[in-house]
Amino acid sequence: MTTFCVMKLLCHATRNENGYAKRLFGTLLTQTAQKGVFSPLCMVVPDPKKTTVFGLAQPFCTAEKSHREPKQKAAFGSVGRRIPYRILHVLNQDGESLGNMHRADALRLMDQHGLKLVLLRENVEPPVYRLMTGQQIHEEQLKRAEKKKASSKAGLVQKELSFSSAIAKNDLETKTKQIAHWIEKKYHVKVTIRQAKNSNTDMFILFDRILETVSDKATYLSKPKAIKEGTGTCILRHMSDKELQAHQKAEKQKNSTVNQDGNEDQKSSGVSQ
């Protein structure tokens, strides 16, 4: 009888302990679910015959990540009817301000005049849009492309060399090596030659010699020309990948032709003997 009573008391205590554990775990879930984050304290409801165990686990977040990819700058052009902003500052097709207005009013104006809406400035409040014709958009796109092309060319480096046609052979070789070094760095090289009165070498022949020395990597950006009496100039540049491939192909064909001609000469000389 005594043993039966002790066992009944133990079972009752175990049920109370499990009930308390379930209530505590439910409270934790209710509080953390509202925040979208589960607590790093994880409770394991054990077997009724075992003691309740508490352990630590990694926190888990159900909320969406707040980190967003940076916006890429959109290309200049019509935005159509997809306008994410409620209030806009609108310019007419002549660039005059029409003031701030709701996007629905801006779309109404666009439809009434058969124009297109173009985003000009997004990082202001409110963002600035302009009503433009298709021709205006096309012209502006061309202007921006030219401006971008000019800015990329502005980063090019141009070196200059100047000497007379009476230059010594060793000095010419030194200057040619300097030109080749600059060409390797993708620089433009402007060469100016003055025709010396006591020189039998024509300055244009010197231009051809210089190009021949660096012909495996360089070509004319500006061909030799006289800029004033007795002075000529040219600009050399590095070949593009396409030009290099074409040059290498031409050289291979040239070498193969020379080899074939040499073999034929050898055969003909052997027959004559």
mmCIF file of all heavy atoms in Angstrom, residues 20-64:
data_model
loop_
_atom_site.group_PDB
_atom_site.id
_atom_site.type_symbol
_atom_site.label_atom_id
_atom_site.label_comp_id
_atom_site.label_asym_id
_atom_site.label_seq_id
_atom_site.Cartn_x
_atom_site.Cartn_y
_atom_site.Cartn_z
ATOM 1 N N TYR A 20 4.153 22.450 -16.375
ATOM 2 C CA TYR A 20 4.845 23.733 -16.193
ATOM 3 C C TYR A 20 5.792 23.997 -17.367
ATOM 4 O O TYR A 20 5.864 25.115 -17.879
ATOM 5 C CB TYR A 20 5.612 23.704 -14.866
ATOM 6 C CG TYR A 20 6.474 24.933 -14.653
ATOM 7 C CD1 TYR A 20 5.901 26.163 -14.308
ATOM 8 C CD2 TYR A 20 7.849 24.864 -14.835
ATOM 9 C CE1 TYR A 20 6.692 27.274 -14.139
ATOM 10 C CE2 TYR A 20 8.638 25.966 -14.668
ATOM 11 C CZ TYR A 20 8.060 27.183 -14.308
ATOM 12 O OH TYR A 20 8.846 28.282 -14.139
ATOM 13 N N ALA A 21 6.484 22.933 -17.779
ATOM 14 C CA ALA A 21 7.424 23.106 -18.900
ATOM 15 C C ALA A 21 6.694 23.511 -20.181
ATOM 16 O O ALA A 21 7.135 24.380 -20.927
ATOM 17 C CB ALA A 21 8.194 21.804 -19.130
ATOM 18 N N LYS A 22 5.531 22.879 -20.431
ATOM 19 C CA LYS A 22 4.767 23.200 -21.634
ATOM 20 C C LYS A 22 4.248 24.630 -21.599
ATOM 21 O O LYS A 22 4.243 25.337 -22.589
ATOM 22 C CB LYS A 22 3.601 22.221 -21.795
ATOM 23 C CG LYS A 22 4.061 20.804 -22.169
ATOM 24 C CD LYS A 22 2.890 19.858 -22.257
ATOM 25 C CE LYS A 22 3.333 18.437 -22.596
ATOM 26 N NZ LYS A 22 2.224 17.485 -22.618
ATOM 27 N N ARG A 23 3.781 25.055 -20.398
ATOM 28 C CA ARG A 23 3.277 26.432 -20.281
ATOM 29 C C ARG A 23 4.393 27.451 -20.518
ATOM 30 O O ARG A 23 4.205 28.456 -21.193
ATOM 31 C CB ARG A 23 2.653 26.622 -18.890
ATOM 32 C CG ARG A 23 1.297 25.943 -18.721
ATOM 33 C CD ARG A 23 0.556 26.514 -17.521
ATOM 34 N NE ARG A 23 1.319 26.322 -16.285
ATOM 35 C CZ ARG A 23 1.259 25.232 -15.529
ATOM 36 N NH1 ARG A 23 0.484 24.201 -15.917
ATOM 37 N NH2 ARG A 23 1.971 25.131 -14.434
ATOM 38 N N LEU A 24 5.582 27.167 -19.954
ATOM 39 C CA LEU A 24 6.709 28.083 -20.118
ATOM 40 C C LEU A 24 7.146 28.136 -21.585
ATOM 41 O O LEU A 24 7.381 29.204 -22.142
ATOM 42 C CB LEU A 24 7.887 27.629 -19.237
ATOM 43 C CG LEU A 24 9.191 28.437 -19.374
ATOM 44 C CD1 LEU A 24 8.940 29.900 -18.994
ATOM 45 C CD2 LEU A 24 10.282 27.844 -18.497
ATOM 46 N N PHE A 25 7.204 26.977 -22.228
ATOM 47 C CA PHE A 25 7.616 26.926 -23.620
ATOM 48 C C PHE A 25 6.611 27.647 -24.519
ATOM 49 O O PHE A 25 6.969 28.356 -25.445
ATOM 50 C CB PHE A 25 7.755 25.459 -24.034
ATOM 51 C CG PHE A 25 8.352 25.275 -25.404
ATOM 52 C CD1 PHE A 25 9.584 25.849 -25.711
ATOM 53 C CD2 PHE A 25 7.686 24.537 -26.365
ATOM 54 C CE1 PHE A 25 10.133 25.671 -26.967
ATOM 55 C CE2 PHE A 25 8.227 24.366 -27.611
ATOM 56 C CZ PHE A 25 9.462 24.931 -27.923
ATOM 57 N N GLY A 26 5.314 27.480 -24.221
ATOM 58 C CA GLY A 26 4.279 28.165 -24.992
ATOM 59 C C GLY A 26 4.380 29.669 -24.842
ATOM 60 O O GLY A 26 4.189 30.421 -25.794
ATOM 61 N N THR A 27 4.692 30.151 -23.627
ATOM 62 C CA THR A 27 4.844 31.593 -23.403
ATOM 63 C C THR A 27 6.005 32.149 -24.212
ATOM 64 O O THR A 27 5.908 33.213 -24.829
ATOM 65 C CB THR A 27 5.067 31.874 -21.904
ATOM 66 O OG1 THR A 27 3.987 31.328 -21.163
ATOM 67 C CG2 THR A 27 5.166 33.373 -21.653
ATOM 68 N N LEU A 28 7.129 31.414 -24.196
ATOM 69 C CA LEU A 28 8.302 31.857 -24.963
ATOM 70 C C LEU A 28 7.981 31.928 -26.452
ATOM 71 O O LEU A 28 8.350 32.885 -27.141
ATOM 72 C CB LEU A 28 9.477 30.891 -24.731
ATOM 73 C CG LEU A 28 10.152 30.966 -23.354
ATOM 74 C CD1 LEU A 28 11.168 29.843 -23.213
ATOM 75 C CD2 LEU A 28 10.831 32.312 -23.166
ATOM 76 N N LEU A 29 7.263 30.931 -26.977
ATOM 77 C CA LEU A 29 6.911 30.926 -28.396
ATOM 78 C C LEU A 29 6.005 32.094 -28.753
ATOM 79 O O LEU A 29 6.144 32.735 -29.785
ATOM 80 C CB LEU A 29 6.238 29.615 -28.769
ATOM 81 C CG LEU A 29 7.154 28.393 -28.923
ATOM 82 C CD1 LEU A 29 6.324 27.160 -29.221
ATOM 83 C CD2 LEU A 29 8.175 28.623 -30.015
ATOM 84 N N THR A 30 5.047 32.393 -27.866
ATOM 85 C CA THR A 30 4.097 33.475 -28.123
ATOM 86 C C THR A 30 4.815 34.814 -28.179
ATOM 87 O O THR A 30 4.559 35.657 -29.031
ATOM 88 C CB THR A 30 3.017 33.514 -27.028
ATOM 89 O OG1 THR A 30 2.381 32.241 -26.985
ATOM 90 C CG2 THR A 30 1.993 34.605 -27.318
ATOM 91 N N GLN A 31 5.757 35.034 -27.230
ATOM 92 C CA GLN A 31 6.458 36.316 -27.174
ATOM 93 C C GLN A 31 7.397 36.494 -28.354
ATOM 94 O O GLN A 31 7.470 37.568 -28.941
ATOM 95 C CB GLN A 31 7.245 36.412 -25.853
ATOM 96 C CG GLN A 31 6.348 36.531 -24.624
ATOM 97 C CD GLN A 31 7.164 36.517 -23.344
ATOM 98 O OE1 GLN A 31 8.365 36.259 -23.365
ATOM 99 N NE2 GLN A 31 6.497 36.804 -22.232
ATOM 100 N N THR A 32 8.112 35.429 -28.703
ATOM 101 C CA THR A 32 9.107 35.562 -29.770
ATOM 102 C C THR A 32 8.495 35.534 -31.148
ATOM 103 O O THR A 32 9.031 36.107 -32.084
ATOM 104 C CB THR A 32 10.148 34.426 -29.670
ATOM 105 O OG1 THR A 32 9.470 33.175 -29.674
ATOM 106 C CG2 THR A 32 10.978 34.551 -28.418
ATOM 107 N N ALA A 33 7.336 34.867 -31.317
ATOM 108 C CA ALA A 33 6.683 34.823 -32.630
ATOM 109 C C ALA A 33 6.239 36.201 -33.061
ATOM 110 O O ALA A 33 6.221 36.538 -34.244
ATOM 111 C CB ALA A 33 5.496 33.870 -32.592
ATOM 112 N N GLN A 34 5.857 37.069 -32.070
ATOM 113 C CA GLN A 34 5.428 38.418 -32.391
ATOM 114 C C GLN A 34 6.595 39.231 -32.962
ATOM 115 O O GLN A 34 6.410 40.140 -33.745
ATOM 116 C CB GLN A 34 4.857 39.102 -31.157
ATOM 117 C CG GLN A 34 3.552 38.461 -30.668
ATOM 118 C CD GLN A 34 3.095 39.047 -29.357
ATOM 119 O OE1 GLN A 34 3.796 39.861 -28.763
ATOM 120 N NE2 GLN A 34 1.916 38.652 -28.894
ATOM 121 N N LYS A 35 7.806 38.928 -32.540
ATOM 122 C CA LYS A 35 8.977 39.646 -33.028
ATOM 123 C C LYS A 35 9.573 38.993 -34.270
ATOM 124 O O LYS A 35 10.453 39.549 -34.910
ATOM 125 C CB LYS A 35 10.059 39.700 -31.946
ATOM 126 C CG LYS A 35 9.600 40.421 -30.690
ATOM 127 C CD LYS A 35 10.705 40.405 -29.652
ATOM 128 C CE LYS A 35 10.250 41.081 -28.358
ATOM 129 N NZ LYS A 35 11.286 41.052 -27.328
ATOM 130 N N GLY A 36 9.125 37.800 -34.609
ATOM 131 C CA GLY A 36 9.655 37.099 -35.770
ATOM 132 C C GLY A 36 10.986 36.456 -35.513
ATOM 133 O O GLY A 36 11.675 36.042 -36.425
ATOM 134 N N VAL A 37 11.424 36.366 -34.244
ATOM 135 C CA VAL A 37 12.727 35.786 -33.928
ATOM 136 C C VAL A 37 12.548 34.780 -32.818
ATOM 137 O O VAL A 37 11.908 35.065 -31.808
ATOM 138 C CB VAL A 37 13.728 36.883 -33.471
ATOM 139 C CG1 VAL A 37 15.065 36.247 -33.141
ATOM 140 C CG2 VAL A 37 13.859 37.941 -34.543
ATOM 141 N N PHE A 38 13.115 33.609 -32.972
ATOM 142 C CA PHE A 38 13.087 32.603 -31.936
ATOM 143 C C PHE A 38 14.256 32.810 -30.995
ATOM 144 O O PHE A 38 15.363 33.117 -31.428
ATOM 145 C CB PHE A 38 13.142 31.193 -32.544
ATOM 146 C CG PHE A 38 11.881 30.810 -33.256
ATOM 147 C CD1 PHE A 38 11.792 30.926 -34.635
ATOM 148 C CD2 PHE A 38 10.769 30.376 -32.547
ATOM 149 C CE1 PHE A 38 10.639 30.599 -35.288
ATOM 150 C CE2 PHE A 38 9.602 30.036 -33.211
ATOM 151 C CZ PHE A 38 9.537 30.147 -34.576
ATOM 152 N N SER A 39 14.002 32.643 -29.732
ATOM 153 C CA SER A 39 15.032 32.855 -28.720
ATOM 154 C C SER A 39 16.118 31.808 -28.842
ATOM 155 O O SER A 39 15.869 30.667 -29.201
ATOM 156 C CB SER A 39 14.397 32.750 -27.322
ATOM 157 O OG SER A 39 15.400 32.742 -26.335
ATOM 158 N N PRO A 40 17.382 32.207 -28.519
ATOM 159 C CA PRO A 40 18.455 31.228 -28.545
ATOM 160 C C PRO A 40 18.304 30.177 -27.460
ATOM 161 O O PRO A 40 18.996 29.186 -27.442
ATOM 162 C CB PRO A 40 19.709 32.077 -28.328
ATOM 163 C CG PRO A 40 19.232 33.318 -27.680
ATOM 164 C CD PRO A 40 17.860 33.546 -28.191
ATOM 165 N N LEU A 41 17.389 30.386 -26.476
ATOM 166 C CA LEU A 41 17.158 29.399 -25.431
ATOM 167 C C LEU A 41 16.144 28.381 -25.940
ATOM 168 O O LEU A 41 14.997 28.700 -26.193
ATOM 169 C CB LEU A 41 16.623 30.084 -24.167
ATOM 170 C CG LEU A 41 16.329 29.159 -22.983
ATOM 171 C CD1 LEU A 41 17.612 28.479 -22.526
ATOM 172 C CD2 LEU A 41 15.675 29.940 -21.857
ATOM 173 N N CYS A 42 16.582 27.184 -26.138
ATOM 174 C CA CYS A 42 15.710 26.147 -26.705
ATOM 175 C C CYS A 42 15.362 25.125 -25.628
ATOM 176 O O CYS A 42 16.258 24.581 -24.989
ATOM 177 C CB CYS A 42 16.425 25.467 -27.877
ATOM 178 S SG CYS A 42 15.475 24.100 -28.558
ATOM 179 N N MET A 43 14.072 24.877 -25.442
ATOM 180 C CA MET A 43 13.635 23.905 -24.441
ATOM 181 C C MET A 43 13.250 22.602 -25.122
ATOM 182 O O MET A 43 12.554 22.600 -26.123
ATOM 183 C CB MET A 43 12.432 24.453 -23.675
ATOM 184 C CG MET A 43 11.865 23.475 -22.656
ATOM 185 S SD MET A 43 10.436 24.176 -21.868
ATOM 186 C CE MET A 43 11.136 25.536 -21.028
ATOM 187 N N VAL A 44 13.706 21.515 -24.612
ATOM 188 C CA VAL A 44 13.355 20.193 -25.111
ATOM 189 C C VAL A 44 12.420 19.534 -24.119
ATOM 190 O O VAL A 44 12.766 19.372 -22.950
ATOM 191 C CB VAL A 44 14.626 19.333 -25.300
ATOM 192 C CG1 VAL A 44 14.252 17.958 -25.821
ATOM 193 C CG2 VAL A 44 15.598 20.042 -26.227
ATOM 194 N N VAL A 45 11.187 19.220 -24.575
ATOM 195 C CA VAL A 45 10.242 18.538 -23.692
ATOM 196 C C VAL A 45 10.598 17.061 -23.687
ATOM 197 O O VAL A 45 10.514 16.393 -24.723
ATOM 198 C CB VAL A 45 8.793 18.744 -24.176
ATOM 199 C CG1 VAL A 45 7.827 18.014 -23.253
ATOM 200 C CG2 VAL A 45 8.476 20.230 -24.227
ATOM 201 N N PRO A 46 11.021 16.546 -22.595
ATOM 202 C CA PRO A 46 11.551 15.184 -22.562
ATOM 203 C C PRO A 46 10.471 14.138 -22.357
ATOM 204 O O PRO A 46 9.295 14.428 -22.233
ATOM 205 C CB PRO A 46 12.481 15.230 -21.352
ATOM 206 C CG PRO A 46 11.774 16.163 -20.416
ATOM 207 C CD PRO A 46 11.085 17.176 -21.275
ATOM 208 N N ASP A 47 10.953 12.953 -22.342
ATOM 209 C CA ASP A 47 10.129 11.806 -21.986
ATOM 210 C C ASP A 47 9.673 11.981 -20.547
ATOM 211 O O ASP A 47 10.426 12.474 -19.705
ATOM 212 C CB ASP A 47 10.976 10.529 -22.135
ATOM 213 C CG ASP A 47 10.095 9.289 -22.063
ATOM 214 O OD1 ASP A 47 9.534 9.053 -20.993
ATOM 215 O OD2 ASP A 47 10.010 8.583 -23.091
ATOM 216 N N PRO A 48 8.434 11.615 -20.192
ATOM 217 C CA PRO A 48 7.970 11.787 -18.803
ATOM 218 C C PRO A 48 8.871 11.132 -17.777
ATOM 219 O O PRO A 48 8.893 11.546 -16.623
ATOM 220 C CB PRO A 48 6.586 11.121 -18.822
ATOM 221 C CG PRO A 48 6.156 11.180 -20.235
ATOM 222 C CD PRO A 48 7.391 11.074 -21.055
ATOM 223 N N LYS A 49 9.631 10.121 -18.196
ATOM 224 C CA LYS A 49 10.488 9.433 -17.230
ATOM 225 C C LYS A 49 11.811 10.139 -17.034
ATOM 226 O O LYS A 49 12.608 9.749 -16.195
ATOM 227 C CB LYS A 49 10.741 7.998 -17.704
ATOM 228 C CG LYS A 49 9.468 7.151 -17.773
ATOM 229 C CD LYS A 49 9.789 5.758 -18.228
ATOM 230 C CE LYS A 49 8.522 4.905 -18.308
ATOM 231 N NZ LYS A 49 8.819 3.524 -18.757
ATOM 232 N N LYS A 50 12.080 11.186 -17.877
ATOM 233 C CA LYS A 50 13.367 11.881 -17.784
ATOM 234 C C LYS A 50 13.181 13.284 -17.266
ATOM 235 O O LYS A 50 12.099 13.838 -17.298
ATOM 236 C CB LYS A 50 14.038 11.909 -19.150
ATOM 237 C CG LYS A 50 14.352 10.498 -19.672
ATOM 238 C CD LYS A 50 15.030 10.607 -21.022
ATOM 239 C CE LYS A 50 15.332 9.216 -21.579
ATOM 240 N NZ LYS A 50 15.966 9.286 -22.902
ATOM 241 N N THR A 51 14.266 13.868 -16.847
ATOM 242 C CA THR A 51 14.230 15.238 -16.322
ATOM 243 C C THR A 51 14.218 16.230 -17.472
ATOM 244 O O THR A 51 14.835 16.005 -18.504
ATOM 245 C CB THR A 51 15.474 15.484 -15.450
ATOM 246 O OG1 THR A 51 15.570 14.451 -14.500
ATOM 247 C CG2 THR A 51 15.383 16.838 -14.761
ATOM 248 N N THR A 52 13.525 17.367 -17.292
ATOM 249 C CA THR A 52 13.467 18.398 -18.326
ATOM 250 C C THR A 52 14.855 18.972 -18.572
ATOM 251 O O THR A 52 15.580 19.266 -17.634
ATOM 252 C CB THR A 52 12.508 19.524 -17.884
ATOM 253 O OG1 THR A 52 11.253 18.944 -17.610
ATOM 254 C CG2 THR A 52 12.379 20.573 -18.973
ATOM 255 N N VAL A 53 15.201 19.158 -19.847
ATOM 256 C CA VAL A 53 16.546 19.609 -20.213
ATOM 257 C C VAL A 53 16.444 20.926 -20.965
ATOM 258 O O VAL A 53 15.603 21.082 -21.841
ATOM 259 C CB VAL A 53 17.242 18.560 -21.120
ATOM 260 C CG1 VAL A 53 18.626 19.052 -21.514
ATOM 261 C CG2 VAL A 53 17.340 17.231 -20.379
ATOM 262 N N PHE A 54 17.297 21.867 -20.617
ATOM 263 C CA PHE A 54 17.380 23.142 -21.312
ATOM 264 C C PHE A 54 18.719 23.199 -22.032
ATOM 265 O O PHE A 54 19.743 22.772 -21.497
ATOM 266 C CB PHE A 54 17.278 24.329 -20.347
ATOM 267 C CG PHE A 54 15.920 24.471 -19.730
ATOM 268 C CD1 PHE A 54 15.579 23.785 -18.566
ATOM 269 C CD2 PHE A 54 14.963 25.276 -20.328
ATOM 270 C CE1 PHE A 54 14.342 23.911 -18.014
ATOM 271 C CE2 PHE A 54 13.719 25.405 -19.763
ATOM 272 C CZ PHE A 54 13.397 24.726 -18.601
ATOM 273 N N GLY A 55 18.741 23.755 -23.258
ATOM 274 C CA GLY A 55 19.997 23.867 -23.987
ATOM 275 C C GLY A 55 20.014 25.125 -24.838
ATOM 276 O O GLY A 55 18.992 25.769 -25.016
ATOM 277 N N LEU A 56 21.166 25.488 -25.347
ATOM 278 C CA LEU A 56 21.329 26.679 -26.180
ATOM 279 C C LEU A 56 21.372 26.277 -27.645
ATOM 280 O O LEU A 56 21.964 25.271 -28.008
ATOM 281 C CB LEU A 56 22.616 27.415 -25.813
ATOM 282 C CG LEU A 56 22.610 28.053 -24.412
ATOM 283 C CD1 LEU A 56 23.967 28.689 -24.157
ATOM 284 C CD2 LEU A 56 21.505 29.083 -24.293
ATOM 285 N N ALA A 57 20.739 27.045 -28.473
ATOM 286 C CA ALA A 57 20.755 26.792 -29.916
ATOM 287 C C ALA A 57 20.972 28.107 -30.640
ATOM 288 O O ALA A 57 20.837 29.183 -30.060
ATOM 289 C CB ALA A 57 19.445 26.150 -30.365
ATOM 290 N N GLN A 58 21.290 28.037 -31.922
ATOM 291 C CA GLN A 58 21.496 29.241 -32.726
ATOM 292 C C GLN A 58 20.173 29.957 -32.933
ATOM 293 O O GLN A 58 19.156 29.323 -33.182
ATOM 294 C CB GLN A 58 22.083 28.861 -34.095
ATOM 295 C CG GLN A 58 23.501 28.334 -34.032
ATOM 296 C CD GLN A 58 24.486 29.407 -33.605
ATOM 297 O OE1 GLN A 58 24.262 30.585 -33.863
ATOM 298 N NE2 GLN A 58 25.543 29.005 -32.934
ATOM 299 N N PRO A 59 20.150 31.297 -32.826
ATOM 300 C CA PRO A 59 18.905 32.035 -33.069
ATOM 301 C C PRO A 59 18.493 31.911 -34.529
ATOM 302 O O PRO A 59 19.332 31.860 -35.420
ATOM 303 C CB PRO A 59 19.283 33.488 -32.729
ATOM 304 C CG PRO A 59 20.759 33.557 -32.867
ATOM 305 C CD PRO A 59 21.271 32.199 -32.485
ATOM 306 N N PHE A 60 17.199 31.897 -34.751
ATOM 307 C CA PHE A 60 16.676 31.792 -36.103
ATOM 308 C C PHE A 60 15.695 32.933 -36.344
ATOM 309 O O PHE A 60 14.827 33.189 -35.516
ATOM 310 C CB PHE A 60 15.950 30.441 -36.278
ATOM 311 C CG PHE A 60 15.235 30.319 -37.594
ATOM 312 C CD1 PHE A 60 15.958 30.101 -38.742
ATOM 313 C CD2 PHE A 60 13.855 30.417 -37.663
ATOM 314 C CE1 PHE A 60 15.312 29.977 -39.961
ATOM 315 C CE2 PHE A 60 13.204 30.310 -38.876
ATOM 316 C CZ PHE A 60 13.941 30.082 -40.018
ATOM 317 N N CYS A 61 15.882 33.628 -37.463
ATOM 318 C CA CYS A 61 15.053 34.795 -37.755
ATOM 319 C C CYS A 61 14.164 34.503 -38.961
ATOM 320 O O CYS A 61 14.644 34.045 -39.999
ATOM 321 C CB CYS A 61 15.942 36.001 -38.038
ATOM 322 S SG CYS A 61 15.014 37.480 -38.464
ATOM 323 N N THR A 62 12.878 34.752 -38.789
ATOM 324 C CA THR A 62 11.936 34.556 -39.896
ATOM 325 C C THR A 62 11.690 35.841 -40.657
ATOM 326 O O THR A 62 11.002 35.840 -41.665
ATOM 327 C CB THR A 62 10.592 34.036 -39.363
ATOM 328 O OG1 THR A 62 10.072 34.978 -38.427
ATOM 329 C CG2 THR A 62 10.761 32.688 -38.691
ATOM 330 N N ALA A 63 12.220 36.973 -40.124
ATOM 331 C CA ALA A 63 12.012 38.255 -40.803
ATOM 332 C C ALA A 63 12.852 38.309 -42.068
ATOM 333 O O ALA A 63 13.895 37.683 -42.174
ATOM 334 C CB ALA A 63 12.390 39.417 -39.884
ATOM 335 N N GLU A 64 12.407 39.097 -43.070
ATOM 336 C CA GLU A 64 13.148 39.225 -44.316
ATOM 337 C C GLU A 64 14.415 40.026 -44.077
ATOM 338 O O GLU A 64 14.476 40.890 -43.210
ATOM 339 C CB GLU A 64 12.287 39.948 -45.367
ATOM 340 C CG GLU A 64 11.087 39.140 -45.791
ATOM 341 C CD GLU A 64 10.294 39.878 -46.856
ATOM 342 O OE1 GLU A 64 10.725 40.978 -47.225
ATOM 343 O OE2 GLU A 64 9.276 39.350 -47.292
#
